[in-house]
Amino acid sequence: MGYKILAINPGSTSTKVALYDEERPLLELNLRHSTEEISRFAGVNDQLDWRRGLILSALREEAFDIRNLSAVIGRGGLIRPIPAGVYEVNSRMRYDLRNAQMKHACNLGGLLAAQIAHMAGVKAYIADPPVVDEMDDAARISGMPMCPRKPVFHALNQKATARLHCERMGWVYEESNLIVAHMGGGISVAAHKQGRIVDVNNALDGDGPFAPDRAGSIPSSELIKVCFSGQYTKEELLKFISSKGGLVAYLGTNSVIQVMERIAQGDQRAKKVLDAMCYNIVKQIGAMAAALSGSVQTIVLTGGIAYNEPVVEYIRERCSFIAPIAVYPGENELEALVTNALVVLRGVITPKVYK
């Protein structure tokens, strides 16, 4: 029998859990949380014990003893900017996860992993959290010194999918140049240059393409006027940027599938807005091609929206002149977490220390 790994990916309305024996999945669960359940808690941190109980209960129902685990790995949270890699969860990381300035369910990943790992007598890890920072200095500077550009994006899936594509092509990731576009509730488009993500839009806080529920880049002066109009509170505007913008703001839904159904029924407004989202994605891909000086081996499309063929075809028609298009639909984050834990357990790499 091989290494048993528990992977945990907490989201705003679900906790996804996977149990693997080496590369072989034994169990995959999507523990969904209703709005009523979540609303019982004052904040994200208050959900920790509750979510841990749900995970342990689900494992007991499957007759799995956590003492058989070799490691637990959780989705990384919004901690301090760090290079990509696998990190052992230590006391400093736990403190930063609990006290993160940006509140998001992903902050629970390392905490849940640490608590369950402690119970099982094994080590806990995170890998490639959303705050992975490998950006070139030029990419950090905006037009206002008090507003630097910061990477907050789908680093775990970006790195895992880029490595997977290179492996399939017989390339070495650390010697390859790729553009990876993760298209989900948020959209991040990154320039991967010889193993480093040298530029990427902030997919959470208002940068890059607008997405199903995020506003993306907004004309600055127009935003300032809205801020001082007296019509919205600070909290309302922040929600517009991070969870109430994009398709939600225009069409009342964050489901691209629903938007496509409306288009099929002749809804021209839905078509116009979806085309605009795709247009913004291809513009960002073009910008990342420039960041790589035009030296791009493949444009990789991933995330849930990559299942949508009309969106993929829109991008292919406008970006194939840059490089070939490769499509890897879905997030694949649990599998990516397990892969990262395995390379540590097998001694291929030494986990990094979070300072």
Side-chain angles (χ1 to χ4, degrees):
M1 301 295 286
Y3 293 117
K4 302 291 194 304
I5 300 165
L6 181 67
I8 303 170
N9 182 2
S12 56
T13 59
S14 69
T15 303
K16 296 176 182 177
V17 181
L19 179 65
Y20 273 65
D21 182 347
E22 302 272 327
E23 288 90 356
R24 183 169 65 94
L26 301 177
L27 175 68
E28 291 195 19
L29 299 172
N30 187 0
L31 308 175
R32 298 188 180 277
H33 315 314
S34 68
T35 303
E36 291 75 17
E37 288 176 313
I38 295 295
S39 64
R40 292 190 290 114
F41 300 96
V44 171
N45 286 347
D46 301 302
Q47 302 170 22
L48 180 61
D49 292 344
W50 173 65
R51 293 204 193 211
R52 185 190 67 237
L54 292 176
I55 295 169
L56 294 173
S57 177
L59 293 175
R60 282 194 297 269
E61 288 179 9
E62 298 294 329
F64 180 79
D65 187 343
I66 63 170
R67 290 174 296 182
N68 292 324
L69 287 171
S70 306
V72 185
I73 186 164
R75 181 184 177 190
L78 301 171
I79 48 179
R80 300 171 188 270
I82 54 177
V86 184
Y87 291 78
E88 185 176 341
V89 179
N90 58 19
S91 59
R92 185 54 194 259
M93 183 186 296
R94 293 197 301 271
Y95 177 87
D96 284 356
L97 286 168
R98 288 182 179 276
N99 296 280
Q101 291 186 349
M102 293 181 285
K103 305 302 180 184
H104 192 279
C106 66
N107 292 333
L108 297 176
L111 296 172
L112 288 166
Q115 290 187 351
I116 295 175
H118 179 73
M119 296 171 64
V122 297
K123 291 185 176 181
Y125 304 96
I126 66 165
D128 295 336
V131 291
V132 162
D133 190 348
E134 303 170 330
M135 287 172 62
D136 285 343
D137 288 341
R140 303 176 189 279
I141 300 174
S142 72
M144 297 178 67
M146 67 287 277
C147 300
R149 294 186 64 240
K150 300 176 182 178
V152 182
F153 68 109
H154 310 88
L156 179 62
N157 189 45
Q158 285 257 357
K159 285 281 187 178
T161 306
R163 289 185 180 278
L164 175 60
H165 180 70
C166 288
E167 180 181 333
R168 291 185 177 179
M169 297 299 293
W171 301 339
V172 177
Y173 173 62
E174 288 76 14
E175 298 173 357
S176 304
N177 286 359
L178 309 170
I179 296 171
V180 181
H182 176 107
M183 303 179 296
I187 295 173
S188 61
V189 184
H192 294 241
K193 183 177 182 180
Q194 299 178 2
R196 290 174 51 237
I197 296 177
V198 295
D199 198 358
V200 62
N201 63 290
N202 183 329
L204 179 64
D205 283 342
D207 187 24
F210 73 82
D213 55 18
R214 297 174 196 175
S217 298
I218 307 168
S220 303
S221 61
E222 296 301 320
L223 177 59
I224 292 172
K225 292 174 186 175
V226 172
C227 289
F228 286 89
S229 68
Q231 294 180 283
Y232 305 96
T233 65
K234 175 183 175 182
E235 289 71 25
E236 288 172 335
L237 288 171
L238 287 173
K239 284 185 177 180
F240 262 113
I241 289 173
S242 64
S243 61
K244 300 293 183 182
L247 297 184
V248 170
Y250 283 99
L251 302 174
T253 179
N254 64 359
S255 170
V256 174
I257 294 174
Q258 290 183 16
V259 173
M260 293 301 301
E261 290 172 349
R262 288 163 59 169
I263 293 172
Q265 295 169 3
D267 188 332
Q268 291 302 307
R269 176 176 169 79
K271 184 179 188 311
K272 183 177 181 180
V273 173
L274 184 65
D275 282 352
M277 187 182 81
C278 296
Y279 176 75
N280 276 267
I281 294 170
V282 300
K283 282 205 305 181
Q284 191 71 19
I285 290 172
M288 293 301 101
L292 293 171
S293 303
S295 177
V296 184
Q297 292 164 261
T298 308
I299 298 167
V300 179
L301 307 181
T302 184
I305 297 176
Y307 283 110
N308 189 287
E309 184 54 36
V311 172
V312 170
E313 189 57 31
Y314 186 105
I315 297 171
R316 183 179 284 116
E317 287 180 358
R318 289 158 180 80
C319 296
S320 291
F321 76 95
I322 298 172
I325 309 293
V327 184
Y328 295 81
E331 297 178 348
N332 307 312
E333 289 180 328
L334 290 169
E335 183 179 353
L337 287 170
V338 171
T339 299
N340 279 286
L342 271 176
V343 293
V344 171
L345 292 170
R346 291 170 175 168
V348 177
I349 66 169
T350 301
K352 297 181 178 180
V353 177
Y354 179 75
K355 300 179 180 179

